[in-house]
Every structure is written in C-alpha cells, then in structure tokens.
Amino acid sequence: MNKSNFLLTMFALMFLGGTAHAGLLFNYSQLALKDLDQMNKLVSDKVTESKKSSSGKAVPLKEALQAVYSRPNDDEMIEKIVSSLRSNLDELESWEKTISQLTDEAINALKNPRAFKPVVQTTYIVFLENLLSEIKPYMKNDGFERKIAERIRDAKIEVSKEAVSERKLRMMKDTTSPSEIAGKILAESSQVPIEKAADSAASEQ
C-alpha cells in the first residue's frame, strides 16, 4: 500500500469510527435494562440541559428522544415518558424536524451496515419500529407522519445478517425490514377509505 492509499484508509477508519455511534447515548440492549424511573431521569436531565443551553436547545432533546424510541417497547413505556420531550420540542418548533433528522440518521446507518456494529444497527431498527408504531394511528391524508412512513418504505432497507443474528441472540426475536413494516402500514391505511366507502354504499342500497 502506497502512502496515499494508506492515508486515505486511515482517514476512512477515523471517519467511520467517529460516526459509528453518532447520536446514540445508549444502544438498545443497554436501554432495555433501564426501568421507568431511570428513563424518566434520562429525559428529565436532557430537558434540564436543553433549558440551560444558550444555543442548540433542541440537541439534548433530540438525544433523549432517540434513546426513548431506541428502547424495546414491550412494556409500552414510550407513551409514559415521551410527552415532556414532545412539548419542549414543540415549544422550539422542532418536533417534526427532529423526527425527520433521526429517521434519516437511522436509514443512513442501516443502508451502510459495514460502518456500524450489529448492536448499533439493531438499535436503529428498534428506533424505526417504535417510530412506525407510534405514528401508525396518525397517517391521515398526506400529513407529516405519512411522509415519514413513506420515506422509510422507499428506503428499501435490507437488514444485515449480522443484525438479524444480534437480535435473535439477545432478544429471541426475528427481524423484519422497517421498510416492509412501513409498506404494510401504508397499504393498510390506504384501504380504510375504500372499506368505509363500500360500507356506505351498501347501507344506501
């Protein structure tokens, strides 16, 4: 390897090393061990950090939101702890922007799995799964939530074998591509008006 190629390789390794955990306070496995009190404290600390900050007030809230959605939600904890983050981000007019940024971060990581460890990939998968679950009831017309789901669907994410194995080993769960989940949700939401229309037509006869 000549000097030029060596330097390029070293730069790439430094770049990937610096971005492989970009934005993640904890991975999904670490978050799964946190109970309600611990997650509430995480959120509270980040809200306090945001209020004390003179600039970039949305950054701590963004970090906390990512952690909340990256925690496996088998106990349905998200709805218990996300409200303060939403209200503070709404005050900053940054809720949709933050969700959009975190969605893009997750998609980009999962589209480039070689740059990320399986535990990090799985964390982003859990994030997108939880996000889709939370926005599913609100995908009306062409609103923000629907556009997010469409973005995830259109990314055509292929989950790596390493991420599948990671989740199978630690959580005893199979993994479906978030793009497939988003596609199913969108298809189901599109069928609702048709079914209602059919019921309405039948009642008129």
Side-chain angles (χ1 to χ4, degrees):
M1 181 184 296
N2 60 38
K3 185 176 180 180
S4 177
N5 286 339
F6 175 77
L7 290 174
L8 286 172
T9 301
M10 289 301 294
F11 176 79
L13 289 172
M14 288 172 63
F15 176 77
L16 292 176
T19 59
H21 297 82
L24 294 179
L25 293 176
F26 303 97
N27 64 49
Y28 82 99
S29 183
Q30 295 167 324
L31 289 164
L33 299 175
K34 294 185 180 295
D35 60 20
L36 179 59
D37 289 341
Q38 290 171 316
M39 289 301 294
N40 267 326
K41 185 178 187 308
L42 186 157
V43 169
S44 177
D45 288 347
K46 287 297 179 180
V47 169
T48 300
E49 183 181 335
S50 171
K51 290 185 181 299
K52 289 182 177 179
S53 177
S54 57
S55 61
K57 288 181 176 291
V59 174
L61 302 175
K62 177 182 177 182
E63 293 173 343
L65 187 65
Q66 186 176 52
V68 167
Y69 279 107
S70 296
R71 181 186 181 278
N73 198 39
D74 298 328
D75 53 3
E76 299 184 351
M77 190 185 291
I78 289 177
E79 64 182 33
K80 299 174 185 176
I81 58 178
V82 77
S83 59
S84 64
L85 290 173
R86 170 116 200 198
S87 61
N88 278 276
L89 282 166
D90 279 341
E91 285 179 16
L92 299 171
E93 299 182 348
S94 295
W95 171 258
E96 292 187 1
K97 178 182 178 181
T98 299
I99 289 291
S100 183
Q101 289 174 340
L102 290 174
T103 299
D104 286 343
E105 180 181 327
I107 289 173
N108 290 336
L110 294 172
K111 295 283 284 183
N112 297 279
R114 291 185 180 180
F116 301 87
K117 293 180 179 180
V119 69
V120 175
Q121 295 175 45
T122 304
T123 301
Y124 283 119
I125 291 169
V126 172
F127 172 88
L128 291 178
E129 287 175 350
N130 285 334
L131 177 61
L132 286 167
S133 178
E134 290 296 301
I135 67 176
K136 182 178 178 180
Y138 307 105
M139 285 191 293
K140 299 175 182 178
N141 303 319
D142 293 319
F144 169 74
E145 290 85 0
R146 188 173 188 86
K147 287 186 172 73
I148 288 292
E150 289 172 347
R151 193 184 308 175
I152 297 170
R153 178 198 63 191
D154 296 344
K156 298 181 180 177
I157 297 165
E158 295 183 11
V159 179
S160 71
K161 293 179 180 178
E162 291 78 10
V164 171
S165 297
E166 159 75 24
R167 196 174 196 188
K168 189 79 171 177
L169 179 65
R170 295 203 193 209
M171 299 180 67
M172 303 298 290
K173 282 189 175 182
D174 293 324
T175 302
T176 301
S177 166
S179 293
E180 291 182 31
I181 296 172
K184 183 177 180 181
I185 290 173
L186 287 162
E188 289 173 352
S189 69
S190 297
Q191 291 171 4
V192 173
I194 297 173
E195 291 170 358
K196 286 185 177 179
D199 291 341
S200 178
S203 65
E204 291 176 0
Q205 292 178 352

